[in-house]
Amino acid sequence: TKKEIACDSKVIYEFGGPVGVSALMVGFPILMSYLYICLAVNQGRLQNPLEWEFWARGGPTIIPTPRSMVIYLSFTVFQYFT
């Protein structure tokens, strides 16, 4: 019917559309890394993320270990083939 066609032709974006979703995809991993570094390195105290020293001290803590990479990649390959 005409009403269904009119309704289906209207595009409604959520989360701010493509720009908003892209910002979420980039921003959330950075936020999670920041919060993890604050917890693991600074005993949960919030620090200034704009200082180089913060990322220099905390950066090595967010690098995945070889074991975790094998587990994740094995699961990904398994999911691909099943």
Side-chain angles (χ1 to χ4, degrees), residues 58-70:
T61 65
I62 60 174
I63 295 173
T65 63
R67 180 173 182 249
S68 67
M69 289 173 46
V70 167

Side-chain angles (χ1 to χ4, degrees), residues 17-60:
V19 174
V21 171
S22 298
L24 291 173
M25 289 176 62
V26 171
F28 277 139
I30 294 171
L31 175 65
M32 292 300 111
S33 298
Y34 166 72
L35 293 174
Y36 179 77
I37 291 171
C38 285
L39 183 64
V41 177
N42 300 314
Q43 292 76 38
R45 293 186 309 271
L46 297 179
Q47 302 292 315
N48 183 0
L50 301 177
E51 293 179 1
W52 175 251
E53 180 186 343
F54 172 79
W55 294 103
R57 284 188 304 134

Side-chain angles (χ1 to χ4, degrees), residues 3-22:
K3 185 177 181 181
E4 291 173 346
I5 293 171
C7 185
D8 289 341
S9 65
K10 189 176 184 181
V11 177
I12 299 174
Y13 289 118
E14 296 180 1
F15 304 108
V19 174
V21 171
S22 298

